[in-house]
Amino acid sequence: MPEDLEDIELPRSIALAWGIAANPQRGPKREMSVERIVEAAVELADAEGIGAVSMAAVAKRLGFTPMSLYRYVTAKDDLLLLMQDEATGVPTLAYRDAEGWRAKLDVLFREQVAIYLRHPWILSLPITGSPVTPNSSRWIEAGLEAINGLPLDLTDQLAVVLAVTGTARWQGMVYAGYDATARELGLTSDEVATREQRLYERVVDADDYPLLRALVDAGGFVAEADPFRFGLDRTLDGVEAFVTDRADVAPPRVVESIDDLSDVADEKKYRAAVKARLAAEKDVRQAEKALRQARRLEEQAIREARG
C-alpha cells in the first residue's frame, strides 16, 4: 500500500456523516446542530431545487448568519454530501420478508427508485466516487445481504449490487424527468406519454424510419409494459445463469448470527453490540409491520368515508 494511504485522514464531510467529527467549541448552542442544518438544506432542495441551496439560504431558513453554519459545516460540498446521505435514508427491512434473492433485490430496487422521485435533486449531484457515508453503506450492506449465500466471490457480489442500484438510478432519472414535465405542463404521467406518442406520429416518416414508425403505429410509447422492469429482470436472469454455472463453488463465509462468532471475535463487548443490533432490527421489523397495518386501516377508512 502506498505510504500516503496508510494513515489516510477522513475528509471532514465523511467524519461528520459518521458522527466522529469534533463539534465546534463556540457558536449558538442547542438551537444549531449539523443535523438541523442538513434537515433544513434537504427541505430547501425538496421545495425549490438544489440550485436554491447555499450556505446563506440555509442559514436564513434557520434564522442564523452564514458564519454560524460554517462553524458546523465548513464547505458547501460537505453539506451536499450530508444532504445526499440524509435524503437517501436507509432501506426498510421489507426485503428480508421477500422470498428468494431476486425478490429481495426487487424490493431494494423499488425503494431506491422511490427515493429519487421524492428527492430528484439527488440526481443532479455529481458522482465523484462512492459516497462513503452511513446510509449509502447501509444500502450496499442490504444488497449484499440479499444475495448472501450465492456462489459468488466478493467482487461479483458488489457487481450485482451495483447493477441493481445503477438501474434504479437510471429509472429514477427518467421518471423524475417525466414527473417534472408533467408538473410543468399540468398533465398526468399518462397524458405526457400520450403527448410524446402524438409527437412521434407527426414527425417520424415510414420511409426514413421504417422500424421506428412501426413501433409508433403499434403504440410503443404508450404501452403498459415497463422497459425498466424488463431491464432489471434480464439483468437478474443473467446473474441467475451465472450463479447456476457456479453451483459447485462454495459461497464466501460471512458472519450471519451471534452464534457464528466463535472464530471471529470472543470479546464480550463485541458480542453484546451484535446482540443489541439484532434486537434493534427485530424491533424495527415489528414497527414497520405495525405501520403497514395502520396504513391499510387508514386507506380502508378513507374508502369507507368516500363510499
Side-chain angles (χ1 to χ4, degrees):
M1 177 181 294
E3 183 177 349
D4 59 344
L5 292 181
E6 290 182 357
D7 298 313
I8 186 170
E9 182 179 353
L10 284 177
R12 179 166 173 79
S13 57
I14 294 178
L16 284 170
W18 288 94
I20 55 178
N23 290 321
Q25 299 300 313
R26 297 180 299 169
K29 297 180 180 179
R30 297 182 183 174
E31 298 88 352
M32 180 75 78
S33 66
V34 172
E35 291 76 18
R36 280 204 64 197
I37 293 169
V38 174
E39 288 173 1
V42 169
E43 291 171 359
L44 185 59
D46 287 344
E48 303 180 33
I50 195 64
V53 176
S54 67
M55 299 297 276
V58 175
K60 181 178 180 180
R61 192 177 185 90
L62 290 170
F64 291 100
T65 65
M67 286 306 301
S68 299
L69 265 67
Y70 281 110
R71 294 190 180 99
Y72 294 82
V73 182
T74 57
K76 183 179 178 181
D77 285 346
D78 293 350
L79 178 60
L80 293 176
L81 181 68
L82 295 171
M83 289 172 60
Q84 179 178 350
D85 199 55
E86 171 68 18
T88 298
V90 297
T92 72
L93 298 181
Y95 70 95
R96 291 183 175 174
D97 296 328
E99 293 293 332
W101 63 269
R102 289 186 65 138
K104 295 180 189 297
L105 289 179
D106 183 71
V107 171
L108 294 172
F109 170 83
R110 287 185 280 108
E111 289 189 4
Q112 288 175 75
V113 172
I115 290 171
Y116 294 126
L117 295 179
R118 288 196 301 270
H119 309 287
W121 52 267
I122 294 178
L123 298 164
S124 300
L125 300 178
I127 297 176
T128 59
S130 179
V132 190
T133 52
N135 291 346
S136 294
S137 298
R138 182 56 61 189
W139 283 96
I140 297 175
E141 175 74 12
L144 293 173
E145 182 183 333
I147 58 176
N148 183 30
L150 294 182
L152 301 171
D153 60 34
L154 298 179
T155 301
D156 290 335
Q157 288 181 32
L158 179 59
V160 171
V161 173
L162 293 179
V164 174
T165 58
T167 305
R169 183 181 180 90
W170 170 235
Q171 177 169 336
M173 186 181 302
V174 175
Y175 278 20
Y178 271 74
D179 279 357
T181 300
R183 288 193 300 271
E184 181 181 346
L185 298 176
L187 303 174
T188 67
S189 297
D190 288 341
E191 288 171 340
V192 171
T194 299
R195 178 178 180 273
E196 192 173 75
Q197 170 78 17
R198 298 291 181 264
L199 292 174
Y200 272 110
E201 290 174 351
R202 290 190 61 181
V203 299
V204 173
D205 183 88
D207 292 333
D208 294 328
Y209 305 94
L211 299 179
L212 178 56
R213 183 67 209 195
L215 174 65
V216 171
D217 290 341
F221 291 94
V222 291
E224 293 184 2
D226 185 349
F228 294 102
R229 177 77 262 172
F230 178 90
L232 177 66
D233 286 342
R234 299 297 77 75
T235 297
L236 298 183
D237 285 345
V239 173
E240 189 165 8
F242 183 69
V243 166
T244 300
D245 290 341
R246 295 170 56 86
D248 58 341
V249 178
R253 182 177 180 276
V254 298
V255 175
E256 295 181 347
S257 72
I258 193 170
D259 297 326
D260 195 27
L261 290 172
S262 58
D263 62 344
V264 178
D266 293 325
E267 292 86 348
K268 292 182 179 180
K269 185 176 180 180
Y270 185 73
R271 286 177 170 272
V274 173
K275 186 175 181 180
R277 175 180 62 79
L278 294 174
E281 289 179 348
K282 181 179 179 180
D283 290 342
V284 170
R285 287 195 295 273
Q286 291 174 341
E288 289 178 343
K289 182 178 180 180
L291 178 60
R292 289 194 295 270
Q293 177 65 21
R295 285 174 175 167
R296 284 194 293 268
L297 292 174
E298 180 184 19
E299 292 170 356
Q300 181 180 350
I302 292 174
R303 287 195 298 269
E304 291 176 352
R306 291 175 176 173

